[in-house]
Amino acid sequence: MHHTHLNAAGHPRPQLIRDPDWHDLSGPWQFAHDDADVGRSDRWMDPDNTEPFTATITVPYPPESGASGIGDTGFHPVHWYRRTLDVTPPAADRRLLLHFAAVDYRAEVWLNGHPVGRHEGGHTGFSCDLTDAVRQGGEQVLVVRAEDQPLDATQPRGKQDWRREPHAIWYHRTSGIWQPVWWEEVPDEHVTSLHWTPDVAGARVRCELRLGKWPRRALDVRVRLALGDRVLAEQRVLTDGQETVFDIAVPALRHGQALDELLWSPEHPHLVDATVELSDAADHTAVDRVTSYLGLREVGWDSGHFLLNHKPYFLRFALQQGYWPGSHLSASDDELRRDVELAKDAGLNGLRIHQKLEDPRFLYWADRLGLLLWEEMPSAYTFGTATVQRVVAEWTEAISRDLSHPSIVAWVPINESWSVPNPALVPAQRHFMDALYHLTKSLDPSRPAVSNDGWEISAADIWGVHDYTQRAEVLRERYGHDSLRRGDLTDPWPGPKQVLLDGVRHQGQPVVLSEFGGATFEPAEGAEWFGYDTVATKQEFAERLADLVGAAVDSGLAGFCFTQFTDTEQEINGLFTADRGLKIPMDELRTILTRPHRR
């Protein structure tokens, strides 16, 4: 049995795959820091200029990390990379595309000394068309300049510290190339993006298809959807434009009693394989063929409940920062898969990805294995025009990249008023929060959006509250009543700031305890961060966890998100250690985290 989505494992763009195989450029590259920023004027991009490149780095690991072979955590705003490519000029009707999954923060790319691409935004990908720069015969020289200013607080950076050494809840930086680099050969007219939006109640799927260029003549688009060997739909449409949007009827969704074998959920993560073929509408000559996948599922909210496939679904989440001691924000495909497996083994049904746009390979494993995710934009820390422009641009790219993943069930553009420190007092900051909410809903009306998670909530489909009290009886007092589902917050100020901004009305939004817990084992003497409280033994850790989770499930809450999934540098408050080891036995952890929710 052939499943498209099985071929997606390890692919850096799992929902848009083209044969033949992609070509991975991971491995050794030549490398140089450019602290004086002379590389441009001294022509480091010239193919014969090898002198500056005195070091070797292992891509895609950031130079601050040990896995890169550099391991230099100091301030180095500019990095240069160089390597040769074994490619030849493609045929006249073909193009050679180079893809970067993520380069933090600003990237410029040259092939054989010719500029082929540039991009700003450290967490989303971009592509370069190399075709016109490829030389006949001889080796091709690829050079990348990455600029990541450590002190620029208007740059979306997430948990990457602006100080030289990690402090409080911020960590060592991840600069330059930190996700896969790869190339592929494509037809001159080719698909560049596919978006799938299921409408379970309407028994259909919306497809949005974008081409790399305006087609020269009308094209035939054929789409086939299949669940295993069962064909769910086949549809043909004509297009004479660069972007085409059409609905595909899925008659099987009309059988209301047979939905469980079709719908995606953490318990049953059914994935539908999709094949998209382009051909000339006149003579039927093949133009392009790609494979993809999607999940048939809907998310929503009503009467204080989070809804999955139109039914209340209690969220059991942990905060996940996607950080590894040896490689920082980078990870191998095996490590990404293991985190999804670990979360499921522990009894969680989701992770709140925190201050990171996670690698698409991780999103694939969440789709495939069944794990809900909240996606959150990495924050800038200063409010102003530059922050607004940068966040809007990168967040728009993020939603476009990740729109079709069934695992993603909420969008969170801001966390804890980071970059908008006074939205109650500065109207422009509240306008920005609300604008991000409305931007998000305009790009994807199918999911809940949360303009600001934690406190100072304005426009939001979920009220996410951060409450680090260590006393279960206080949690029960604040959240144990059913009237919470009607928006009745007995304590409007459980954290350092008020939960709701003035004028915010309850309209059925669920209340989720989206950060709580956070107790750590007694940290090493002299540690920078002492957590929200300390516990001395494994038994005490298990008891504290059980008490707090027990209060969260015996409540009017729609879910919880425990801080945090793994220890992360000086924050030693994870359910697991930094290298993903156990703190308490897995069966005990699972029993605590799966305690039945009071309906």
Side-chain angles (χ1 to χ4, degrees), residues 208-477:
E208 298 181 47
L209 176 146
R210 187 169 180 83
L211 305 178
K213 61 188 288 188
W214 201 271
R216 292 186 298 272
R217 72 286 192 214
L219 296 178
D220 214 0
V221 181
R222 291 177 182 267
V223 180
R224 183 177 190 266
L225 304 181
L227 186 66
D229 291 334
R230 179 183 178 189
V231 177
L232 298 178
E234 285 194 86
Q235 186 152 321
R236 171 182 171 236
V237 298
L238 282 173
T239 181
D240 56 4
Q242 193 169 359
E243 195 157 331
T244 309
V245 181
F246 53 96
D247 289 342
I248 304 166
V250 183
L253 288 173
R254 296 187 180 281
H255 192 320
Q257 304 310 310
L259 288 177
D260 286 348
E261 62 199 49
L262 297 173
L263 299 186
W264 185 96
S265 69
E267 293 72 28
H268 303 286
H270 301 301
L271 292 180
V272 173
D273 298 318
T275 306
V276 178
E277 294 178 331
L278 297 184
S279 58
D280 188 306
D283 62 16
H284 309 300
T285 308
V287 173
D288 193 17
R289 181 183 187 276
V290 295
T291 57
S292 183
Y293 71 84
L294 60 138
L296 298 171
R297 68 102 187 88
E298 284 187 26
V299 292
W301 64 97
D302 191 23
S303 304
H305 293 284
F306 176 85
L307 304 179
L308 177 63
N309 297 325
H310 312 122
K311 298 174 183 175
Y313 192 91
F314 190 77
L315 303 176
R316 300 172 186 272
F317 277 42
L319 192 75
Q320 159 67 325
Q321 309 210 51
Y323 190 95
W324 283 261
S327 57
H328 299 194
L329 295 179
S330 298
S332 70
D333 187 56
D334 285 344
E335 288 169 325
L336 296 169
R337 175 179 181 151
R338 183 66 193 126
D339 268 11
V340 175
E341 292 173 336
L342 204 57
K344 289 186 68 75
D345 289 348
L348 298 170
N349 57 29
L351 293 172
R352 179 179 156 225
I353 307 301
H354 184 48
Q355 290 301 293
K356 179 186 184 184
L357 297 177
E358 195 47 279
D359 190 312
R361 297 173 299 167
F362 176 89
L363 305 181
Y364 164 76
W365 288 117
D367 295 340
R368 166 113 177 256
L369 301 177
L371 192 70
L372 303 181
L373 304 174
W374 285 17
E375 179 162 317
E376 180 179 305
M377 179 65 199
S379 294
Y381 289 103
T382 299
F383 182 72
T385 302
T387 295
V388 171
Q389 291 174 331
R390 288 171 160 186
V391 170
V392 166
E394 196 167 347
W395 184 236
T396 299
E397 288 185 6
I399 293 173
S400 180
R401 187 194 76 172
D402 296 339
L403 184 73
S404 303
H405 288 281
S407 56
I408 296 173
V409 295
W411 302 112
V412 184
I414 295 180
N415 170 72
E416 288 188 353
S417 304
W418 291 353
S419 81
V420 283
N422 294 292
L425 303 175
V426 181
Q429 295 183 11
R430 184 167 180 178
H431 284 307
F432 180 45
M433 283 169 35
D434 289 350
L436 284 172
Y437 168 86
H438 292 294
L439 171 69
T440 303
K441 299 295 283 190
S442 71
L443 294 169
D444 177 26
S446 76
R447 290 176 176 86
V450 181
S451 65
N452 188 23
D453 192 72
W455 48 65
E456 295 185 314
I457 295 166
S458 185
D461 301 323
I462 296 172
W463 288 3
V465 181
H466 297 180
D467 188 338
Y468 281 105
T469 180
Q470 296 299 307
R471 293 165 52 205
E473 64 271 21
V474 175
L475 287 181
R476 291 178 192 277
E477 191 178 300

Side-chain angles (χ1 to χ4, degrees), residues 471-533:
R471 293 165 52 205
E473 64 271 21
V474 175
L475 287 181
R476 291 178 192 277
E477 191 178 300
R478 289 174 177 164
Y479 311 107
H481 48 97
D482 288 335
S483 62
L484 189 67
R485 295 190 184 124
R486 298 189 295 275
D488 179 18
L489 293 165
T490 56
D491 186 345
W493 211 297
K497 298 187 177 185
Q498 60 186 326
V499 174
L500 301 176
L501 292 178
D502 289 348
V504 174
R505 292 186 302 116
H506 189 257
Q507 297 174 302
Q509 295 99 325
V511 179
V512 173
L513 195 58
S514 51
E515 286 186 30
F516 81 119
T520 180
F521 290 132
E522 198 68 52
E525 194 170 331
E528 179 74 26
W529 168 251
F530 284 82
Y532 298 94
D533 194 15

